[in-house]
Amino acid sequence: NIIGEPGTIQDITEWDRAERALRESEARFRSFMEHAPFGMLVKDLDSRYLTVNRGIEEMWGRSADEILGHRPSELSKDNDVAIVEAMDRQVALTGQAATQEIRLDGRDGRWTYSVKFPIKDSSGRTVAIGGIFIDISDRKKTELALQESEARFRSFMEHAPLELLVKDLDGRFLMVSRAVEKIWHRKAEDLLGRRTCDITDSPGVTAVEEMDREVVETGRTVAREVHFPDWQEDWA
């Protein structure tokens, strides 16, 4: 007759607690990745995608299943891919974060601010690459529009047949037309950053600087005749 069976009893409370904590940590990470308002990824050191969120799926126009396990160069032959993989290599080699603005050629010309950073183990060895992609297309459109506007304004100033200038609130020249260079007998670089009184001691200086102060203080247009005896053209 069997009257007993050998066995052991082991307290697994701590193990169970640790397992639950691990599951909760992983769930928080997945939720963070899923709901982040920008693209997030994890790659191996060969630039293969290990984890991606919705932002990366939208950027590629592909599902996670189509992305994972592939390098960017296996998903596209656009020029921006080479930049992305070069950043990955830099991070893997140096163990330092890298940032760059990248125009996504094949994705409607969108711009992204890319941040790549090393993921390290407890010994400090880089074992993976983390990445964040933030869409900055609207900002870049504004910047490009501003650049175009400034270029048009510079061209206008450059070719205007009149004496045109822009000063800061302290009366220092910020921009001048060629006609101003001609009457001062100086190049623009000799005028910019200087006040009228730094360039000449002509009696007309006082009137000009009084006009500058009046414009700043009142916000109104001021117009009057000013005499510069030392100019070839006597009136400004």
Side-chain angles (χ1 to χ4, degrees):
N1 295 329
I2 299 175
I3 60 175
E5 182 176 333
T8 61
I9 298 176
Q10 183 177 359
D11 188 343
I12 63 171
T13 302
E14 290 301 322
W15 177 82
D16 185 58
R17 184 179 294 118
E19 186 178 27
R20 287 201 305 273
L22 177 61
R23 288 198 299 268
E24 290 172 359
S25 176
E26 290 176 343
R28 284 195 297 270
F29 177 70
R30 287 194 298 272
S31 179
F32 174 73
M33 290 282 287
E34 186 69 14
H35 296 96
F38 39 74
M40 297 187 67
L41 59 85
V42 177
K43 290 181 177 181
D44 66 18
L45 299 184
D46 290 323
S47 201
R48 293 184 180 89
Y49 290 100
L50 300 176
T51 304
V52 298
N53 72 347
R54 286 183 181 177
I56 300 299
E57 290 181 300
E58 291 173 359
M59 186 183 75
W60 279 111
R62 298 169 182 253
S63 68
D65 290 340
E66 295 174 296
I67 297 171
L68 298 181
H70 295 285
R71 299 185 185 91
S73 57
E74 296 171 343
L75 300 173
S76 171
K77 300 303 179 185
D78 292 327
N79 293 331
D80 59 271
V81 168
I83 300 173
V84 170
E85 293 193 354
M87 290 181 70
D88 294 341
R89 288 192 296 272
Q90 179 182 346
V91 172
L93 179 64
T94 66
Q96 302 294 321
T99 64
Q100 189 161 345
E101 291 183 357
I102 303 173
R103 186 177 186 274
L104 304 177
D105 297 332
R107 272 77 82 197
D108 301 323
R110 287 192 295 168
W111 282 86
T112 181
Y113 180 71
S114 175
V115 181
K116 296 292 182 69
F117 53 90
I119 298 173
K120 302 184 178 184
D121 62 15
S122 58
S123 68
R125 183 171 60 94
T126 300
V127 295
I129 300 167
I132 298 173
F133 285 81
I134 302 173
D135 192 324
I136 58 170
S137 299
D138 290 341
R139 194 199 81 193
K140 292 298 290 187
K141 287 178 182 177
T142 300
E143 288 179 358
L144 292 172
L146 178 60
Q147 290 171 8
E148 292 174 359
S149 176
E150 289 177 341
R152 287 194 295 269
F153 182 60
R154 284 194 300 271
S155 178
F156 172 76
M157 291 287 288
E158 183 75 9
H159 297 97
L162 303 173
E163 294 84 8
L164 299 176
L165 58 89
V166 178
K167 291 182 177 180
D168 66 15
L169 300 185
D170 291 322
R172 294 182 177 87
F173 291 102
L174 296 176
M175 187 177 292
V176 297
S177 66
R178 284 187 178 177
V180 172
E181 293 180 296
K182 184 177 180 181
I183 61 175
W184 284 111
H185 303 291
R186 295 171 182 258
K187 294 292 185 181
E189 53 265 29
D190 295 327
L191 300 173
L192 301 184
R194 304 173 71 184
R195 294 185 293 265
T196 307
C197 63
D198 298 326
I199 300 166
T200 179
D201 57 2
S202 172
V205 169
T206 300
V208 167
E209 296 197 338
E210 286 178 356
M211 292 174 67
D212 292 344
R213 284 193 293 271
E214 186 175 344
V215 170
V216 172
E217 291 171 1
T218 67
R220 295 196 297 268
T221 300
V222 177
R224 65 185 63 119
E225 293 181 346
V226 179
H227 185 214
F228 282 85
D230 51 340
W231 281 6
Q232 290 182 350
E233 298 177 12
D234 289 339
W235 297 93

